[in-house]
Amino acid sequence: MQPTDMKEHAPEEEFGAALTAATALAAHAPSSHNCQPWGIVRLAGTRARAAAGHVLGVEPRPDEEYVALALDHERELSALPAHATEMRVSCGAYWRILLRGLAAQGWHATRTRTPASEAAPVHGWPHRWSLLCIGALRRTATCQGSLAELHGAVHNRRTCRGPYRSEPLDPAVLTILERPSEAPGAAPAGTVTTQHITQPHLVRAFADFCAQHAGRDFSHHKAWRETHSFLRWSAAHARSRGDGFTLPQLFGPLSPLRQLSTRVLLNPKVLLPLCGLGYHRRLAAGVATLIRESTPGLLAMGFEARRPGLADMLAGGARLADYWLAATEAGVALHPLSVAVQHEDLRQELQKSLGLRGRTFFISRLGSPEVQGSPTLRRQGSAVHHPL
Ligand SMILES: Cc1cc2nc3c(=O)[nH]c(=O)nc-3n(C[C@H](O)[C@H](O)[C@H](O)COP(=O)(O)O)c2cc1C
């Protein structure tokens, strides 16, 4: 008789356990406003496997398992047209961590495909989810990378919005981060550009740009109302929702009185009229000071394609996930400032002033944080997969 931990499990059971572990890990992927707009469907039934085969363009094989990545429209941001890309980039980051988590347990993606249409591929598909990608996975004797190391990087990664140390970023580290990952399933070469900006005059130019334009984050009625709906007013509130962020996660430690006054100020009914009086410029000046005084570098990512499609957006998310995890391991933190690329006029002006390649979809401060900050929470459902 075999000891319990050596017991043989049926491959479907084994895959179920590996998928559960990988979804729990991938749930910690970054997403705009921590909205976690993803869903995972395990396509295990006969009809669901046939649907997977149809999208992948192959007959389902008995030794393969099939999983689908979905966008959950109940959870997506939609205030700005650019959110459509951001949601798919966030889902791409999630999918990449999920596939890396499976590969680290011996389940390798033999084929992935984004469908021609995001429509439901099979009867029983969750209402309000659209299909983004299907993957076929096969068990092999080798594990790609260490699950423990991946777990460490995923859990240590977080958005750091406070001051960064002033010493320059190590050029050797930047060279490594610029290089696309060679691991299987990484964003295909030639789809995503990665650029570092470390020349002080260009970092100052970005600070000036944000002083002039970052106020749009606060003064745009629809966008601010949506952002405000993701603010959590206490640790208990954050726990009960499992998404969004708290004021200390956005602004650093605040006294109870400061938390209260900030909460009042950020209420759309207060903030939007104040922006009419120019308050958004004061908030933008704070962002600009952070960049000017404590930001040694910037990261910009762009699509090579002029008109990026779904596959480009998922590749952008995959590249972002690989980059962010590698940066975390190297002690480098990120603070995205998406307002600069969410409005077409701003994106074009930014690309011109900083000489950015491709079509920029992500721009971030880069550096070694003075304080780490606390991790954001994840909703319980985000670590679960839907069986079909
Ligand atoms: C595509 C994308 C855009 C983001 N844009 C911003 C941003 O403009 N400002 C910001 O403070 N954080 C931004 N973030 C970070 C998210 O708010 C963060 O990932 C989320 O709150 C979860 O927190 P964590 O990264 O600490 O796990 C962005 C993240 C992604 C994936």
Side-chain angles (χ1 to χ4, degrees):
M1 200 168 112
Q2 287 178 325
T4 333
D5 56 351
M6 297 275 288
K7 226 186 247 166
E8 292 257 330
H9 292 283
E12 318 87 71
E13 252 177 68
E14 216 187 79
F15 181 68
L19 185 59
T20 300
T23 46
L25 196 58
H28 294 274
S31 61
S32 319
H33 296 5
N34 195 19
C35 70
Q36 305 157 47
W38 42 70
I40 284 291
V41 179
R42 181 177 174 191
L43 301 160
T46 312
R47 281 207 300 194
R49 287 170 65 85
H54 180 72
V55 171
L56 291 166
V58 289
E59 279 296 309
R61 290 172 48 127
D63 61 344
E64 280 185 342
E65 296 282 343
Y66 300 94
V67 205
L69 169 72
L71 172 63
D72 180 349
H73 295 287
E74 300 280 358
R75 304 205 53 82
E76 71 179 334
L77 304 184
S78 58
L80 298 170
H83 282 146
T85 299
E86 267 187 39
M87 292 303 94
R88 286 157 181 81
V89 167
S90 300
C91 287
Y94 170 89
W95 183 235
R96 175 68 178 144
I97 296 175
L98 182 98
L99 294 184
R100 281 180 61 175
L102 284 170
Q105 298 175 82
W107 288 93
H108 298 271
T110 52
R111 195 174 249 259
T112 58
R113 182 170 276 185
T114 53
S117 130
E118 292 188 11
V122 61
H123 181 71
W125 183 259
H127 178 58
R128 307 270 293 149
W129 283 20
S130 53
L131 173 66
L132 298 185
C133 194
I134 289 191
L137 295 122
R138 206 176 296 165
R139 184 87 173 90
T140 64
T142 52
C143 296
Q144 178 77 45
S146 144
L147 187 61
E149 275 173 27
L150 180 63
H151 192 274
V154 168
H155 284 273
N156 287 333
R157 187 210 59 78
R158 66 198 57 160
T159 303
C160 297
R161 301 180 178 88
Y164 294 161
R165 294 197 182 93
S166 54
E167 57 261 31
L169 290 155
D170 181 347
V173 169
L174 294 186
T175 305
I176 293 169
L177 292 176
E178 249 166 40
R179 229 176 273 148
S181 163
E182 283 164 14
T191 49
V192 184
T193 62
T194 303
Q195 223 173 321
H196 290 127
I197 294 114
T198 51
Q199 299 99 311
H201 73 282
L202 289 179
V203 176
R204 277 197 305 275
F206 183 59
D208 295 344
F209 178 91
C210 286
Q212 216 185 336
H213 300 295
R216 236 190 255 187
D217 244 358
F218 310 99
S219 63
H220 191 290
H221 289 222
K222 213 172 156 196
W224 181 252
R225 280 206 186 85
E226 189 171 64
T227 304
H228 184 262
S229 71
F230 282 91
L231 298 184
R232 306 290 169 246
W233 307 113
S234 64
H237 184 208
R239 267 197 309 276
S240 72
R241 299 298 300 267
D243 62 4
F245 24 46
T246 61
L247 294 184
Q249 277 156 351
L250 287 182
F251 303 112
L254 299 171
S255 69
L257 189 63
R258 195 71 204 282
Q259 286 224 33
L260 189 64
S261 61
T262 308
R263 181 172 178 176
V264 172
L265 269 177
L266 296 183
N267 187 309
K269 288 194 184 119
V270 178
L271 185 66
L272 295 168
L274 280 179
C275 287
L277 301 171
Y279 187 62
H280 59 303
R281 281 194 279 278
R282 208 170 127 190
L283 294 172
V287 176
T289 303
L290 196 60
I291 299 167
R292 211 171 281 126
E293 294 182 359
S294 52
T295 302
L298 305 169
L299 158 72
M301 283 193 183
F303 299 119
E304 292 276 13
R306 275 170 153 241
R307 289 171 183 272
L310 174 57
D312 299 294
M313 294 172 198
L314 297 182
R319 177 72 184 107
L320 179 59
D322 282 344
Y323 182 101
W324 211 330
L325 294 179
T328 302
E329 283 176 323
V332 176
L334 273 71
H335 171 196
L337 288 158
S338 303
V339 62
V341 293
Q342 278 169 341
H343 304 271
E344 194 49 23
D345 58 328
L346 299 192
R347 182 189 66 78
Q348 286 186 16
E349 188 181 329
L350 178 80
Q351 290 210 223
K352 211 164 155 195
S353 66
L354 298 187
L356 301 180
R357 295 190 300 273
R359 185 187 168 90
T360 310
F361 65 88
F362 186 82
I363 180 119
S364 169
R365 295 172 59 225
L366 205 59
S368 160
E370 283 176 10
V371 183
Q372 263 293 331
S374 60
T376 46
L377 298 173
R378 296 296 184 269
R379 70 198 159 87
Q380 279 182 344
S382 93
V384 172
H385 58 266
H386 185 97
L388 265 187

